[in-house]
Amino acid sequence: MDIEALKKMIDGGRDGAMPRLTLGEALAREGDTEGAQEHLRRAIEFDPDYSAAWRALGRLQLKAGDRATATETFRAGLDAARRRGDMQIVRELEVRLKRLDGP
């Protein structure tokens, strides 16, 4: 789904965590990091346990060089993934955090 179609869907009343995650990831692929982060934060507001949105937001923050904020985001995402039982994201975020906390 393209960016304009996602925006129309959201503006048309079909807003929620999944469309915001999808739009955030699409904007990130296009290089709009700021817009992407905004939509990923909205996805988390819709569903604080949406671990995929936390992971995507942390990746963008890390890519932007904001290591401290990314670490906090990954920790929150790890908590969300554990609550949801999303073991794949739990394992991924544990590895990311271990690397960030390492030397």
Side-chain angles (χ1 to χ4, degrees):
M1 189 172 272
D2 74 350
I3 291 171
E4 289 310 310
L6 287 163
K7 287 179 179 179
K8 281 183 182 180
M9 187 171 82
I10 288 169
D11 292 342
R14 293 175 42 207
D15 202 355
M18 187 174 290
R20 292 290 180 152
L21 170 66
T22 305
L23 180 54
E25 290 178 331
L27 290 169
R29 283 190 300 274
E30 295 293 318
D32 183 358
T33 303
E34 187 175 312
Q37 287 188 41
E38 175 186 328
H39 288 286
L40 293 171
R41 285 188 188 95
R42 288 285 293 136
I44 292 165
E45 288 174 17
F46 276 108
D47 182 356
D49 286 343
Y50 199 13
S51 53
W54 285 105
R55 175 182 62 187
L57 180 59
R59 285 176 178 166
L60 280 176
Q61 292 165 335
L62 191 58
K63 187 176 178 180
D66 193 348
R67 186 181 174 111
T69 302
T71 299
E72 290 175 25
T73 299
F74 287 145
R75 284 194 181 117
L78 180 58
D79 290 341
R82 286 179 175 148
R83 285 191 300 271
R84 186 165 268 179
D86 190 346
M87 296 313 295
Q88 180 180 346
I89 292 180
V90 166
R91 286 188 292 273
E92 179 184 335
L93 294 182
E94 285 175 342
V95 169
R96 285 183 177 276
L97 285 165
K98 190 173 188 175
R99 288 179 184 158
L100 286 168
D101 290 339

